[in-house]
DNA sequence: ACCGGGTTGTTCAAATTCGAACAACCGCTA
DNA sequence: TAGCGGTTGTTCGAATTTGAACAACCCGGT
């Protein structure tokens, strides 16, 4: 077998910075939403995805793909949100297998209530830490990565 | 209450790119290590951290902090690695509360065996997707974020 | 020597995640 | 219309993570 192409010091620095930043940010966001707003980050993201839809609804599979999570994970979280009254399940006309997750009025209200604090946290965790140039370069690089890893 | 400072489209793009890239990369790395090497990503990171130490050992608390995880999480994973023979626990001279996690020879051998495949995956998941300039800019931005979020 | 506040690591219950297995359904083809 | 490969969403068990609670320990001041 051929020699592995080891990472040089710059590449190692990039990888470590990536791991550290993503863990720290994720940890911070999760903790804030949990403590301050009573939502997990996945749950918040679900509300956002649904609110972005014209009909405020998404098929379970679409939702799972959008969240980059498993179908069972999406099913579990929708169950939680349903119990909390923020989302309801609705059958899908024309496809009896299908299930829509629909944002309720209460869910929309909850999102509107929670969003300002979340945005502030996103700012203090990422956006406001960087200059406009750094932010643009970050977006450029991470978009490239995201596109490169599309299924 | 004052108006929240909503994210403009560039800021939103940055946040979304950050979330998507970190999830996709984490998912890919986790999946690869699990399927190909029989280790979870946290477990792999533990082996790396220990191998980086001159004595190939770390106190439990230091390890947990290095991994950006909880103490109980570190304890759990060390338990797993101990059962697998890759790590052993050792008492800490001069502090009876302390516990060292020590990398065994077997653990070092496992790491050496796994590392090449992991490096290849890191390359294909991040490093090789970017130009040298993009990588440098990414590291700069993420280092800033990491430092900004240090406890 | 003894307290009292802080530290260390483990254990516990609860929450979450995943993949596999599954039943039900879809749509195309013969 | 009967069948068949593929899709959809849920359920299940197993693995993992977290914070709280806890026992044991450290150390500086008295």
């Amino acid at each position: 077998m051929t020699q592995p192409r080891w990472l040089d010091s710059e590449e190692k620095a990039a990888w470590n910075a990536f791991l550290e930043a993503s863990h720290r940010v994720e940890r911070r966001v999760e903790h804030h939403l949990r403590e301050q707003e009573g939502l997990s980050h996945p749950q918040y993201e679900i509300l956002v995805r649904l609110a972005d839809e014209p009909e405020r609804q998404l098929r379970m599979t679409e939702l799972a793909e959008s969240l980059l999570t498993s179908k069972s994970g999406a099913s579990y979280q929708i169950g939680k949100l349903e119990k909390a009254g923020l989302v309801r399940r609705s059958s899908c006309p024309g496809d009896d297998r299908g299930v829509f997750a629909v944002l309720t009025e209460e869910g929309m209200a909850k999102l509107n209530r929670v969003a300002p604090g979340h945005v502030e946290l996103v700012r203090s965790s990422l956006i406001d830490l960087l200059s406009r140039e750094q932010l643009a370069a970050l977006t450029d690089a991470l978009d490239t990565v995201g596109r490169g890893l599309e299924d």
Side-chain angles (χ1 to χ4, degrees), chain A residues 3-15:
Chain A
Q3 284 299 313
R5 294 155 53 226
W6 297 113
L7 303 183
D8 65 34
S9 66
E10 287 181 38
E11 292 166 337
K12 257 186 266 192
W15 179 243

Side-chain angles (χ1 to χ4, degrees), chain A residues 41-52 58 63 67 73-74 77-78 81 87 101 103 111:
Chain A
H41 191 199
Q43 287 168 354
Y44 181 84
E45 289 298 321
I46 289 175
L47 300 187
V48 170
R49 299 293 194 289
L50 295 180
D52 277 347
L58 274 175
L63 183 60
L67 297 169
Q77 288 297 353
I78 288 295
L81 291 170
V87 163
L103 190 61
L111 181 56

Side-chain angles (χ1 to χ4, degrees), chain A residues 2-132:
Chain A
T2 54
Q3 284 299 313
R5 294 155 53 226
W6 297 113
L7 303 183
D8 65 34
S9 66
E10 287 181 38
E11 292 166 337
K12 257 186 266 192
W15 179 243
N16 288 332
F18 184 84
L19 288 184
E20 177 171 344
S22 51
H23 283 172
R24 282 201 195 278
V25 170
E26 185 57 55
R27 218 172 153 68
R28 221 170 118 85
V29 169
E30 176 68 34
H31 197 271
H32 170 263
L33 282 171
R34 266 252 126 74
E35 302 298 308
Q36 303 298 314
E37 322 283 12
L39 284 176
S40 68
H41 191 199
Q43 287 168 354
Y44 181 84
E45 289 298 321
I46 289 175
L47 300 187
V48 170
R49 299 293 194 289
L50 295 180
D52 277 347
E53 291 299 313
E55 312 289 326
R56 292 185 182 169
Q57 61 180 24
L58 274 175
R59 289 285 291 269
M60 294 300 294
T61 297
E62 291 180 290
L63 183 60
E65 285 170 359
S66 166
L67 297 169
L68 303 176
T69 189
S70 62
K71 287 183 300 173
S72 52
S75 199
Y76 173 81
Q77 288 297 353
I78 288 295
K80 290 267 144 183
L81 291 170
E82 205 172 17
K83 271 183 223 163
L86 307 180
V87 163
R88 64 182 170 81
R89 278 185 233 244
S90 154
S91 60
C92 173
D95 190 342
D96 286 352
R97 299 165 304 177
V99 172
F100 276 116
V102 189
L103 190 61
T104 63
E105 281 308 316
E106 201 181 336
M108 194 67 211
K110 174 76 171 175
L111 181 56
N112 287 331
R113 223 161 29 230
V114 167
H118 176 69
V119 168
E120 265 317 304
L121 198 83
V122 169
R123 288 200 167 282
S124 71
S125 301
L126 183 77
I127 307 294
D128 288 353
L129 297 173
L130 302 173
S131 71
R132 210 69 190 174

